[in-house]
């Protein structure tokens, strides 16, 4: 059976061929893509970074375009035969002649993609630096504690009702040699860049002062990636087994089994790399490049660090004053202030990017309004025919609502999927940290995009809903 609006749409299907118009669109799209790539290269300052950014944008637009074509084909081939006529008619509008489905999905979807990507990255970064809300995360760091002051400082904390974490020793040292080669010789033949610029270790990794520690277990912020952990104290004779952070091991060009000699305040300590660790540096915890077993560094010059958590701001200030009065050389750092500063800085960056993303989304809504206005005559004629057949204003509004809910819903679904992939890539390869998908905020954003699209569609289609058949015939005459 022929749907009631098929006869009305047939004259539009017989319009002039669209090939010249399609060729113009492809040419304009290619020129726009080249312009975006050129601007990206100029802004990035490096051709590879700029082209990667432009390529990512192009892939996002391509996937949105394919999704729009898929929606058109699905609406044409798999329309529910037993569903409500109003909803079937609204979905049929997606593949009407001269439809704007592709343009609207591209414009709306790209704006939503930018917003959602920003949301994913922001949530993951804040999760990494967030201190408040975690009942066990410390927000006070007490450092420069001498070994003979540890008991007095601990007592001050306990009298204030605070149970500090076990004291962590910090021992300063420098590298004397790597695999038997003295540091002075390696610096002469090496480079100031990263390992791999030359055959030797990087210069900064050889020159820097290392603040190392000693313990017999790993901690929550690190993971063993190569080698095995030692058991008990270090052996009485021979090279001391040590654990290196994987990044510094790569800079030094060493692996498990290689040897490093350390200069600890004038005392040489020979060591062998026993294992490599991957460290989560984003966590506010004592993390180290080098970890020794208990024993060799017990009598070395060292300071201690203690961590504690105090919820109340005034109590933190009082405790800081009490610790300094008991040990004037000790410093107490309030990490909540650092976190608040980081969040304010991140908030300013997010505000600027969010403005651009909102601008893109609003541009998509303008494109949607323009697409509806361009098809105003066709939509009014269809509304007139439906009213002549007995349709009410409410039924026509449901048809318009179904069409724009489908457009907004598809744009939101594809945008959120792309944002999840983009967020994972940024967190994994750029920020090098763990990734978690914020499902709640993303779902709220998707529903908001779909609702906003439907609202704009109803508002722009209000003329077709409002106008009576007689008014439309007079206007067309």
């Amino acid at each position: 059976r022929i749907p009631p609006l098929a006869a009305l749409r047939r004259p539009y299907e017989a319009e002039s061929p669209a090939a010249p118009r399609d060729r113009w669109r492809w040419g304009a799209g290619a020129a726009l893509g080249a312009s975006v790539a050129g601007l990206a290269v100029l802004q990035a300052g490096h051709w590879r970074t700029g082209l990667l950014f432009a390529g990512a944008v192009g892939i996002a637009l391509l996937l949105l375009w394919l999704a729009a074509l898929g929606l058109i084909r699905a609406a044409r081939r798999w329309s529910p035969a037993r569903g409500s006529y109003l909803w079937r008619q609204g979905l049929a509008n997606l593949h009407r002649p001269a439809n704007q489905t592709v343009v609207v999905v591209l414009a709306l979807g790209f704006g939503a993609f930018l917003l959602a990507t920003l949301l994913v990255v922001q949530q993951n970064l804040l999760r990494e630096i967030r201190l408040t809300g975690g009942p066990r995360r410390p927000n006070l760091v007490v450092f420069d504690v001498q070994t003979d002051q540890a008991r007095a400082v601990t007592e001050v904390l306990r009298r204030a009702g605070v149970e500090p974490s076990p004291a962590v020793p910090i021992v300063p040292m420098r590298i004397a040699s790597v695999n038997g080669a003295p540091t002075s010789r390696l610096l002469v033949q090496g480079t100031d860049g990263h390992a791999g610029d030359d055959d030797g270790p990087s210069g900064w990794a050889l020159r820097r002062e290392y603040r190392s520690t000693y313990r017999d277990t790993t901690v929550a912020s690190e993971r063993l990636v190569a080698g095995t952990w030692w058991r008990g104290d270090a052996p009485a004779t021979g090279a001391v087994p040590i654990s290196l952070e994987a990044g510094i091991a790569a800079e030094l060009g060493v692996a498990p089994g290689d040897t490093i000699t350390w200069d600890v305040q004038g005392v040489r300590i020979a060591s062998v790399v026993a294992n490599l660790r991957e460290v989560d540096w984003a966590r506010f915890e004592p993390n180290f490049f080098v970890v020794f077993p208990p024993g060799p560094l017990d009598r070395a010059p060292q300071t201690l660090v203690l961590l504690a958590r105090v919820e109340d701001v005034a109590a933190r200030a009082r405790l800081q004053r009490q610790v300094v009065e008991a040990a004037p050389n000790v410093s107490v750092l309030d990490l909540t202030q650092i976190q608040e500063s980081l969040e304010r800085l991140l908030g300013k960056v997010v505000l600027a990017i969010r403005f651009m993303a909102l601008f893109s989304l609003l541009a998509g809504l303008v494109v949607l309004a323009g697409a509806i206005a361009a098809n105003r005559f066709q939509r009014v004629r269809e509304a007139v025919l439906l009213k002549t057949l007995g349709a009410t204003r409410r039924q026509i509004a449901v048809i318009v609502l179904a069409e724009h809910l489908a457009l907004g819903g598809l744009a939101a679904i594809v945008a959120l999927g792309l944002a999840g992939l983009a967020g994972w890539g940024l967190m994994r390869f750029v920020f090098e940290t763990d990734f978690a998908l914020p499902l709640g905020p993303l779902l709220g954003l998707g529903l908001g995009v779909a609702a906003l699209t439907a609202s704009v569609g109803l508002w722009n289609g209000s003329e077709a809903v409002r106008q009576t058949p007689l008014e439309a015939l007079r206007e067309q005459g």
Side-chain angles (χ1 to χ4, degrees):
R1 291 183 295 177
I2 299 177
L5 297 184
L8 178 65
R9 288 176 177 160
R10 280 177 179 168
Y12 295 94
E13 295 175 354
E15 290 179 351
S16 57
R21 185 166 61 249
D22 290 342
R23 283 196 296 269
W24 179 86
R25 288 176 179 173
W26 281 107
L32 180 61
S35 301
V36 170
L39 288 174
V41 171
L42 288 176
Q43 290 294 322
H46 191 274
W47 66 270
R48 181 177 297 174
T49 305
L51 290 180
L52 282 174
F53 173 79
V57 171
I59 290 174
L61 291 174
L62 175 63
L63 292 176
L64 286 167
W65 177 65
L66 292 175
L69 294 182
L71 178 63
I72 293 173
R73 177 168 295 184
R76 180 183 293 121
R77 294 187 60 182
W78 295 298
S79 179
R82 297 185 179 181
S84 168
Y85 170 78
L86 302 178
W87 288 91
R88 285 189 288 117
Q89 190 60 53
L91 295 177
N93 286 343
L94 297 173
H95 60 82
R96 68 162 71 220
N99 69 80
Q100 300 294 324
T101 301
V102 173
V103 176
V104 172
V105 170
L106 280 175
L108 283 176
F110 191 71
F113 162 66
L114 292 179
L115 272 178
T117 302
L118 175 64
L119 178 64
V120 170
V121 174
Q122 179 188 7
Q123 292 288 325
N124 278 274
L125 288 179
L126 289 178
R127 177 178 55 83
E128 289 297 323
I129 66 173
R130 184 171 290 117
L131 293 174
T132 57
R136 296 183 179 178
R137 289 191 176 184
N139 57 4
L140 283 179
V141 178
V142 184
F143 57 94
D144 280 344
V145 180
Q146 302 301 311
T147 53
D148 58 350
Q149 295 175 317
R151 179 174 297 179
V153 172
T154 302
E155 287 300 322
V156 171
L157 295 173
R158 287 175 176 168
R159 281 199 303 267
V162 178
E163 184 62 33
S165 65
V168 178
I170 298 178
V171 181
M173 61 183 65
R174 292 184 179 274
I175 294 179
S177 65
V178 177
N179 288 325
T183 302
S184 56
R185 190 175 74 192
L186 292 173
L187 286 173
V188 170
Q189 69 185 24
T191 68
D192 288 335
H194 293 282
D197 296 340
D198 201 347
D199 293 335
S202 61
W204 75 268
L206 292 170
R207 285 192 298 266
R208 74 183 309 275
E209 182 181 61
Y210 289 82
R211 289 173 174 82
S212 307
T213 192
Y214 54 89
R215 47 181 155 84
D216 54 6
T217 60
T218 58
V219 295
S221 60
E222 57 192 20
R223 181 174 62 91
L224 212 63
V225 295
T228 58
W229 196 265
W230 51 79
R231 294 184 178 182
D233 295 347
T237 59
V240 178
I242 62 172
S243 174
L244 287 183
E245 189 266 338
I248 200 68
E251 294 292 340
L252 291 171
V254 298
D258 290 334
T259 60
I260 301 176
T261 301
W262 302 90
D263 184 345
V264 184
Q265 304 294 310
V267 177
R268 298 295 176 94
I269 297 180
S271 67
V272 58
V273 179
N275 58 73
L276 304 180
R277 292 166 294 117
E278 193 174 78
V279 179
D280 184 2
W281 297 103
R283 297 179 60 164
F284 285 108
E285 296 180 10
N287 294 314
F288 298 90
F289 282 126
V290 186
V291 176
F292 280 72
L297 301 180
D298 290 356
R299 301 172 63 90
Q302 58 191 271
T303 58
L304 304 176
V305 172
L306 294 90
L307 303 180
R309 180 170 185 84
V310 181
E311 300 290 347
D312 184 63
V313 177
R316 285 200 299 270
R318 286 194 304 270
L319 183 59
Q320 286 177 287
R321 184 172 62 252
Q322 293 168 2
V323 170
V324 173
E325 289 174 352
N329 63 293
V330 174
S331 300
V332 183
L333 180 62
D334 188 350
L335 294 181
T336 56
Q337 296 177 0
I338 297 178
Q339 181 213 5
E340 291 170 358
S341 300
L342 288 174
E343 288 186 349
R344 282 196 298 268
L345 178 62
L346 186 61
K348 293 178 181 179
V349 177
V350 165
L351 180 62
I353 302 175
R354 185 173 292 169
F355 172 78
M356 298 304 298
L358 284 172
F359 181 80
S360 300
L361 185 60
L362 290 176
L365 294 175
V366 171
V367 170
L368 171 62
I372 296 174
N375 292 330
R376 171 183 168 277
F377 175 70
Q378 182 178 356
R379 290 179 179 275
V380 169
R381 285 194 63 186
E382 291 186 357
V384 166
L385 178 58
L386 288 171
K387 288 180 179 179
T388 304
L389 295 174
T392 63
R393 292 184 178 182
R394 175 187 166 279
Q395 291 173 324
I396 297 176
V398 171
I399 293 175
V400 175
L401 177 66
E403 175 185 356
H404 291 92
L405 274 179
L407 287 172
L410 177 74
I413 291 172
V414 179
L416 297 186
L418 291 174
L421 291 175
W424 172 82
L426 288 172
M427 299 308 298
R428 176 67 178 82
F429 299 107
V430 177
F431 297 103
E432 297 182 352
T433 185
D434 294 334
F435 171 74
L437 195 64
L439 293 177
L442 284 180
L443 181 60
L445 177 62
L447 293 176
V449 170
L452 193 58
T453 305
S455 301
V456 173
L458 286 173
W459 179 69
N460 276 276
S462 59
E463 182 184 6
V465 175
R466 249 187 355 257
Q467 204 167 29
T468 64
L470 184 58
E471 289 174 341
L473 292 173
R474 284 175 178 172
E475 183 179 338
Q476 295 174 22

